[in-house]
Each structure stands twice: as structure tokens, then as C-alpha cells.
Amino acid sequence: MAKAEKKTAPLALEWMQTDLNEEQRKAVGCTDGPVLILAGAGSGKTRVLTYRIAYLLANGLAEPREILAMTFTNKAAGEMRERVGRLAPHLITGMWIGTFHSLFARLLRREAERIGYTPAFTIYDEEDQQSLLKSILLDMNLSVQQLPPRLVGYKISMAKNNFVRPDEMDKTVDNEQDALIAKVYRTYDRRLAELNAMDFDDLLIKPIELFELFPLVKEYYQDRFRYIMVDEYQDTNYAQYRALQLLAAKHRNLCVVGDDDQSIYRWRGAEIRNILDFEKDYPGCAKYRLEQNYRSVKNILAAAHSVIKNNRQRHAKKLWTERPSGDLVTILKVEDDLDEARMIVHKIAMEMRVAERTFSDVAVLYRTNAQSRVFEEALRRERIP
Ligand SMILES: Nc1ncnc2c1ncn2[C@@H]1O[C@H](COP(=O)(O)OP(=O)(O)OP(=O)(O)O)[C@@H](O)[C@H]1O
Ligand SMILES: [Mg+2]
């Protein structure tokens, strides 16, 4: 069935008017070609993707099986699926909505035999990976002091996500430790294959290897996924970027939403460049900005803006809200980490007593894990769970 014939005037869907603001509506209705949606936190990015899927289905622009929607968490995927189900009932079976890892695992199970696995291959989580690495290090007579398994796991993961195979790693090493890691990497990959197992990184890179080896398989998926949508695009790493590029090559209906101000996965290889370069990779892409924030009060947005406007690598945007100003943001000046923890905990305790808040109203964010201990101790002293 020729898909072009199915295009009719878009349905006047009631929820387009009631549930979306004007900019969101435009983004949802823009269904042809690459689309970049830039938006800050709480501005309805996930909502736009969800409604876009419902819009495509309700207007007959796509069949459920032609939709691929990638998220970073199972929670977001679940919410999306559920919401689409309500907006466009009877149309959700066959859609691929899920995390990168879960969807690529699904794809790999279908194609496993082509790359030497059985469809029931095991997925190794970090713990499994660590115990395999430890046993390899043991076999090589390397102590954990000489070569910490965590470091090895991290370096292997980085290599995989940049498509560096053990051989190539071998060629580029310039110190003894990296030479050893390259060796462990080779054994590790061989052992995984023998065990019919893949680690999390394999789930991302094996589809690309598969596509390179089997062009017809690649074409099947390129053909099939007429519309591809990606949430939190700023958090994609190089492997995910490549996979999307391959999958979207035919129809070019790739719609990504992201916030270049809130990349939180830098440490595991997220490339903020992916979002900054989208316009270069997809010339002529449509671009929308969602600047109305539905979550925070004015003073929070102003404080956040005054900090992030100084970042050089970002697309200019400014969030606003119809919500009230709210309380002023307080900045505390502290002597050191102990002082900081003490003052924050004191403030929390005050809020509990004076403003009758509950513990679930409070969140403490910190920059590195090392900072958490001081906080935990200070909280324990005040008997705050
Ligand atoms: N047009 C709208 N009218 C009313 N509420 C909205 C609208 N758009 C979004 N919201 C609400 O604002 C909140 C944030 O929306 P959503 O989760 O889609 O934003 P997001 O940009 O994906 O946030 P995050 O940065 O956390 O991923 C949700 O509760 C959503 O229901
Ligand atoms: Mg979101």
C-alpha cells in the first residue's frame, strides 16, 4: 500500500487545542522531515513527542509498527505508551516505544542468529560485567590494585561506545596500563560471545555492526521505521547517534527533543554535540523552541537562567512561566563541605518544623558522589531519614 495516498487533511483533534500551547501544537503538526525541538526542563518536551505519535496515528500518517520512539528511562516509555493509548486507542500494538537498550535488545533478539548469538542471549548488567572482569583479571594474575576492575569496565565501555575494537585499542595505547586493558578487553569480548551474552554497550553497538554486515537487514528497518522520535536527545552518546542516523537515513523523519542545558550523562559518554550539531547533520530541519515552563515558579527559572546563560556551548533560549514568582532562591555562603552540610541540614530541619513540610518535599542535589557522605552524616545527626 502506497503510504503517500493515505495522507488526507489532518483531523481537527480536540486535544490539539485543549492540551497543547501554540508552539507545542506546531511541533506536533510538523510531520515531514527532520525536526529539532529545543526546550528547557518541564516545558512539555515529552508531552510533545507523545502527542506527536498520537497525531501521526490518528491521522493515518503512520501505522503503529512504523513508529519508533526512544526514551532514556522505562518510566518515560511507560508514560508515553499509556498516554498514546488514551489519545489514540486501538492503535498502540506494534509500536516500538521504549528505552534505547530495551528496543535494541528486541531488535537483536530478532536478528541474533546472524551475528552468532541465539535469540535467548543473556544481557549482562554491571554486576555481571564486573564479576566476569574480575575472573579474567585473576586468570591473568593481575591484582585489583594493579588494575581496578571498575576502571577496566569504564575504559572498555568508553571504547565500545566509540567503536574502538580491541585490535584498534591495541594499536593506539601508549602506556602499560592501557596495553593491559586492551588485552582484558579482547578476552572479555571473547568470553561474552562464548557465554551467549551481551553487555549494555553491546546492545547499542551490535545493531550497527549488524547493519554494516547485512545491508538488507538495515534496509528493512530503515524502511519500516517511517517515524523516529527521541526524547532527551542531549543525552545520546556517539553509538546512539550513529544508530539513529542509520535508521533515519531513508525517511528522514527524525524528530528529537532535548535540552542542551541539562545533559546529565556526560560521564558516560553523552555528546552534547549531538544536539548542537543537529542542524548541520539535517540541513533544513524544522526547529521549535518550547519556552513556557509548566513546572517551576518564576524565581527558580530566573536563578537557573542567570547561571546557565554563561555556558558557551548552548542554543539561546529563555524559559518563562505563568506560574507565580514563588519564594526567592537562597544562596548560602559556606566555609567548607562540613559547614555546607550542616547549614543545609539545619535549613531542612527548620522547614520541617516551621513550614510543616514532609521529607518527601525535599531533595538534595550534589555534583559528585564523593559529596554525599558528608551530607549523610549531617542528616543522620539530625535524625533525618
Ligand atoms: N500545554 C500544556 N498545558 C498544561 N500542562 C502542560 C502542558 N505542557 C506540559 N504540561 C505539563 O508540564 C509538565 C512537564 O511536561 P513534560 O514532562 O512533558 O516536560 P519535559 O520538558 O519533558 O520535562 P523534563 O525536562 O523533566 O523531561 C507535565 O506535568 C505536563 O503534563
Ligand atoms: Mg521529558
Side-chain angles (χ1 to χ4, degrees):
M1 179 172 22
K3 293 288 157 20
E5 288 161 26
K6 284 190 2 189
K7 276 193 194 166
T8 47
L11 289 174
L13 298 157
E14 197 191 300
W15 43 256
M16 286 284 277
Q17 294 305 319
T18 54
D19 297 2
L20 302 172
N21 66 36
E22 194 185 338
E23 201 62 12
Q24 292 174 331
R25 226 168 6 248
K26 282 191 205 151
V28 165
C30 176
T31 55
D32 245 4
V35 180
L36 169 64
I37 300 170
L38 284 173
S43 56
K45 296 185 299 293
T46 306
R47 180 182 281 224
V48 163
L49 285 191
T50 308
Y51 278 70
R52 199 166 182 274
I53 297 172
Y55 181 88
L56 291 166
L57 295 172
N59 276 301
L61 294 166
E63 290 168 30
R65 65 184 295 282
E66 296 175 324
I67 294 206
L68 175 66
M70 306 279 211
T71 64
F72 269 83
T73 63
N74 286 314
K75 184 162 168 277
E79 283 170 8
M80 240 177 181
R81 179 173 285 280
E82 196 245 350
R83 181 56 80 81
V84 173
R86 263 188 282 151
L87 294 170
H90 320 304
L91 283 172
I92 58 164
T93 38
M95 276 190 309
W96 282 38
I97 298 184
T99 62
F100 274 92
H101 288 95
S102 71
L103 295 179
F104 284 173
R106 186 194 294 188
L107 189 152
L108 287 166
R109 289 203 193 282
R110 296 165 55 130
E111 313 294 342
E113 269 148 21
R114 297 180 199 272
I115 50 169
Y117 285 81
T118 77
F121 64 79
T122 314
I123 296 173
Y124 266 35
D125 64 16
E126 224 172 295
E127 214 175 301
D128 302 324
Q129 181 191 44
Q130 282 294 308
S131 44
L132 177 55
L133 283 174
K134 280 179 197 153
S135 86
I136 293 171
L137 292 171
L138 201 66
D139 288 346
M140 290 170 68
N141 284 320
L142 291 165
S143 72
V144 291
Q145 283 76 28
Q146 276 170 291
L147 209 50
R150 295 247 162 244
L151 175 74
V152 181
Y154 175 78
K155 291 240 173 162
I156 292 178
S157 172
M158 279 303 185
K160 284 193 176 186
N161 277 296
N162 289 301
F163 299 93
V164 177
R165 313 299 314 158
D167 294 338
E168 293 154 87
M169 200 188 205
D170 238 358
K171 277 183 225 142
T172 55
V173 293
D174 55 6
N175 62 66
E176 209 173 315
Q177 189 182 56
D178 284 353
L180 281 174
I181 290 174
K183 219 163 153 187
V184 179
Y185 180 14
R186 185 189 313 277
T187 314
Y188 170 75
D189 253 15
R190 202 191 57 233
R191 292 281 294 135
L192 280 180
E194 286 164 7
L195 291 159
N196 193 32
M198 297 194 198
D199 65 18
F200 283 150
D201 300 311
D202 288 336
L203 295 179
L204 302 182
I205 61 172
K206 297 262 184 221
I208 296 170
E209 292 175 4
L210 170 85
F211 291 159
E212 276 161 6
L213 289 168
F214 300 93
L216 286 178
V217 176
K218 177 178 76 184
E219 277 165 38
Y220 168 81
Y221 289 101
Q222 285 177 330
D223 225 33
R224 165 169 179 167
F225 295 125
R226 178 169 292 268
Y227 287 97
I228 302 177
M229 270 144 291
V230 188
D231 200 4
E232 311 284 6
Y233 188 65
Q234 77 279 354
D235 290 332
T236 50
N237 63 18
Y238 182 56
Q240 288 159 330
Y241 166 85
R242 280 273 303 274
L244 289 169
Q245 205 170 37
L246 280 173
L247 284 168
K250 174 152 189 239
H251 298 298
R252 292 184 84 245
N253 289 325
L254 174 62
C255 173
V256 305
V257 304
D259 181 351
D260 48 324
D261 292 329
Q262 55 167 345
S263 173
I264 56 171
Y265 287 122
R266 189 70 219 226
W267 51 275
R268 61 175 210 207
E271 291 277 1
I272 190 77
R273 261 208 333 258
N274 293 351
I275 197 158
L276 296 170
D277 285 351
F278 190 85
E279 289 169 273
K280 266 186 244 151
D281 295 332
Y282 300 94
C285 71
K287 188 166 150 188
Y288 298 93
R289 284 174 202 282
L290 312 179
E291 300 192 314
Q292 178 170 3
N293 179 292
Y294 289 90
R295 195 178 285 137
S296 308
V297 293
K298 286 191 177 70
N299 285 330
I300 300 267
L301 294 181
H305 183 69
S306 70
V307 177
I308 52 188
K309 72 168 190 239
N310 300 313
N311 289 356
R312 258 169 292 135
Q313 289 197 355
R314 68 188 291 265
H315 291 275
K317 68 173 137 38
K318 182 156 189 191
L319 295 171
W320 60 278
T321 183
E322 282 175 356
R323 301 193 55 189
S325 297
D327 292 340
L328 282 174
V329 175
T330 310
I331 298 179
L332 294 177
K333 236 186 173 152
V334 296
E335 297 292 328
D336 56 20
D337 54 344
L338 292 172
D339 191 33
E340 177 182 51
R342 199 179 44 76
M343 294 206 8
I344 300 273
V345 169
H346 177 69
K347 181 121 184 69
I348 296 174
M350 286 290 285
E351 287 284 326
M352 297 293 154
R353 259 171 253 140
V354 181
E356 296 189 341
R357 301 208 196 276
T358 60
F359 292 128
S360 58
D361 291 331
V362 182
V364 178
L365 308 177
Y366 40 83
R367 280 163 63 97
T368 67
N369 279 330
Q371 287 172 284
S372 76
R373 225 196 63 211
V374 192
F375 273 103
E376 283 164 30
E377 279 164 11
L379 287 166
R380 210 164 17 240
R381 270 198 304 276
E382 283 284 330
R383 293 178 209 291
I384 297 178

